[in-house]
Amino acid sequence: MFSSLKNMFKVPDLRNKIFFTLFIIAVYRLGANVTVPGVSFAAVKDLESQSKTGVLGFLNLFSGGALTRIAVFALGIMPYITSSIIMQLLAVVIPKIEQWQKQGAVGQKKITQWTRYMTVGLAILQATGIAYQMNNGILFGRGGTTQLPNGESLIPNFDVPHVALIVLTITAGTAVVMWMGELVTQRGVGNGMSMLIFTNVVSTMPAQFANIKATAGFALFTVVMIMGLAMIVAIVFVEQGQRRIPVQFAKRQVGRRMYGGQSTYIPLKVNSAGVIPIIFASSVLYFPVLLSNVIQWKGISNFINNNLLRPDNFIYISIYGLLIIFFTYSYTAITFDPHQQADLIRKQGGFIPGIRPGPPTERYLGQILNRITLPGSLFLAAIAIIPQIVLAVRGVQNFPFGGTTILISVGVALETMKQIDSQLMMRNYEGFLK
């Protein structure tokens, strides 16, 4: 890995991609620290020291603290992720979207375009909800008061023009973030959306570890560091784990030459979904919070505030874990289709030793996929929940997403390094990957 880090700057094309990615990250972090107009800067500074837990705390984590600062990029990349989830779910019930998925690059371009439109619409709704929650004191747990302890208000002039300006600024910031993520994917290194999430998560880690040391003392800080190192080792071990299914291609004679006959394998990862299930599960948990802003029913609001905004609540932990397992299976089914893979093997004249081509191969691949996805989904749920439970029991509330933070950081770093290694190998530079 260290040789790759040293050698990747020797290739001009790859070096330019890395510098472009770093430039986009710098611009993104700048936008995450610029407060939107119409909001009191002094009041925002007072809010940054308060505890954020539950779903809103997760959103603040994914925005790199921009939600706490009421910054231009306050929503981060979450509206785009939510739109992607909605488009995937709509593909099950709308035949047109399913048809687009089967059209290759042309259909994917249409899906991406509609995802962008939906992202802007969701950003408008969420930015409006954030503005009203700021005014009512609900967003940061102020208990329905518009005043901070020092008597300041987050929005000094709460009227239609100022609210419209706040909503427009946050929505425009979300569109810019989406555009920057696509730029990184096209002209930079790694997946753009994943890189922006990685930047947000890593930027909050020093403050979170400092908070643990200040709140619970050096002993718990040491335990957390040891637990973090153990989790990194476990994540790398599981991320690299795969089941290799052998595939044999039959020999065929064309003229006087013999073709085929080689053996290969299909690599099925234990955790083929990566960190996507955790992101999807957190987005789904935010839906009730968003609906509570529209449906002003006291019973629903109390249930959401008492259960879905508290990471130490049993209902929150149970729903969170079940959603992670569900999205692990669903996303794995989307990324790897046993029917399509079995049909592709049959058309290429291949077969799995001991398994007949066609439907038997499809059933075999489906069984293997279900078996290896179960431990992968349980691992994701454990990584996301166990540190959260331990820290909640010890009364540490400002570091509720340790497992998720480490999982995202390690997962994105591994995938990025794999892409860099593939770029180096493609150029066949002497001395690389040794």
Side-chain angles (χ1 to χ4, degrees):
M1 183 185 71
F2 293 104
S3 61
S4 299
L5 290 175
K6 180 182 66 175
N7 293 327
M8 65 186 182
F9 290 98
K10 295 180 179 180
V11 181
D13 183 34
L14 185 58
R15 183 172 62 244
N16 293 335
K17 289 184 176 181
I18 294 174
F19 286 148
F20 178 78
T21 304
L22 294 177
F23 171 74
I24 294 295
I25 290 175
V27 174
Y28 180 64
R29 290 306 303 162
L30 176 63
N33 288 273
V34 177
T35 306
V36 300
V39 177
S40 173
F41 180 76
V44 170
K45 295 298 290 183
D46 292 336
L47 282 174
E48 287 191 58
S49 60
Q50 299 181 20
S51 172
K52 315 297 180 306
T53 58
V55 181
L56 295 178
F58 194 92
L59 295 176
N60 189 55
L61 168 69
F62 267 49
S63 65
L67 181 62
T68 308
R69 306 182 191 99
I70 321 296
V72 176
F73 296 158
L75 294 178
I77 203 64
M78 293 304 291
Y80 184 83
I81 295 173
T82 306
S83 301
S84 301
I85 298 173
I86 295 175
M87 290 298 294
Q88 289 182 3
L89 296 177
L90 290 179
V92 181
V93 296
I94 300 179
K96 189 65 175 179
I97 300 180
E98 184 179 2
Q99 182 181 355
W100 288 348
Q101 290 180 342
K102 297 178 181 180
Q103 291 179 352
V106 177
Q108 187 61 41
K109 185 177 180 180
K110 296 178 181 178
I111 294 176
T112 302
Q113 192 67 22
W114 278 100
T115 304
R116 293 169 182 167
Y117 295 149
M118 191 176 298
T119 299
V120 174
L122 286 177
I124 294 174
L125 292 177
Q126 293 184 16
T128 305
I130 285 177
Y132 279 93
Q133 284 180 330
M134 284 191 296
N135 184 67
N136 296 329
I138 301 174
L139 182 62
F140 300 107
R142 300 305 306 166
T145 175
T146 60
Q147 300 294 322
L148 294 171
N150 58 2
E152 293 178 292
S153 177
L154 273 172
I155 306 178
N157 300 315
F158 190 77
D159 50 27
V160 174
H162 286 86
V163 171
L165 179 61
I166 294 173
V167 171
L168 180 62
T169 304
I170 296 179
T171 303
T174 302
V176 172
V177 170
M178 179 175 58
W179 174 66
M180 289 193 300
E182 294 179 354
L183 278 181
V184 173
T185 303
Q186 296 172 2
R187 302 175 55 186
V189 177
N191 182 276
M193 305 304 172
S194 299
M195 289 299 296
L196 295 182
I197 294 175
F198 173 81
T199 303
N200 290 333
V201 169
V202 172
S203 66
T204 60
M205 292 181 70
Q208 290 172 337
F209 279 109
N211 174 72
I212 289 182
K213 187 175 181 181
T215 304
F218 184 77
L220 182 61
F221 176 76
T222 304
V223 172
V224 170
M225 292 297 294
I226 295 175
M227 183 173 63
L229 292 176
M231 289 173 59
I232 291 175
V233 174
I235 291 170
V236 173
F237 179 77
V238 174
E239 287 292 327
Q240 301 298 326
Q242 58 180 226
R243 171 72 180 270
R244 297 182 175 181
I245 301 178
V247 178
Q248 182 73 35
F249 290 93
K251 294 182 179 180
R252 57 190 179 92
Q253 186 172 356
V254 180
R256 295 184 177 182
R257 294 190 176 185
M258 188 73 67
Y259 294 92
Q262 70 269 24
S263 299
T264 183
Y265 61 87
I266 303 174
L268 294 180
K269 294 183 62 177
V270 176
N271 179 26
S272 58
V275 298
I276 299 298
I278 293 180
I279 300 174
F280 281 9
S282 304
S283 299
V284 170
L285 279 176
Y286 180 64
F287 286 154
V289 181
L290 188 62
L291 290 176
S292 65
N293 300 327
V294 181
I295 304 175
Q296 297 296 328
W297 187 21
K298 187 175 181 181
I300 296 179
S301 299
N302 291 336
F303 176 81
I304 292 174
N305 293 332
N306 296 330
N307 297 285
L308 298 185
L309 296 181
R310 295 179 56 188
D312 56 345
N313 186 276
F314 177 76
I315 296 178
Y316 173 88
I317 294 175
S318 301
I319 295 176
Y320 190 38
L322 291 175
L323 285 175
I324 291 175
I325 296 175
F326 169 76
F327 279 115
T328 302
Y329 272 93
S330 61
Y331 190 79
T332 302
I334 293 174
T335 56
F336 184 87
D337 186 3
H339 174 73
Q340 182 181 5
Q341 189 66 36
D343 188 56
L344 181 63
I345 294 175
R346 181 183 59 83
K347 290 180 179 179
Q348 293 179 350
F351 64 93
I352 298 175
I355 308 296
R356 293 177 63 87
T361 299
E362 178 185 347
R363 289 194 296 269
Y364 177 77
L365 292 176
Q367 291 175 359
I368 296 297
L369 190 66
N370 289 332
R371 289 177 183 176
I372 66 174
T373 302
L374 178 60
S377 63
L378 295 177
F379 171 77
L380 285 178
I383 287 293
I385 291 176
I386 290 178
Q388 184 172 314
I389 296 176
V390 173
L391 294 174
V393 169
R394 295 301 300 266
V396 180
Q397 296 297 326
N398 285 348
F399 190 63
F401 302 106
T404 305
T405 303
I406 297 176
L407 180 63
I408 293 174
S409 303
V410 176
V412 175
L414 287 175
E415 290 298 324
T416 304
M417 288 306 301
K418 286 181 181 178
Q419 291 193 20
I420 293 176
D421 287 344
S422 64
Q423 292 274 345
L424 297 176
M425 185 178 296
M426 181 178 63
R427 288 164 175 81
N428 196 23
Y429 194 90
E430 183 180 359
F432 282 168
L433 307 179
K434 288 185 178 181

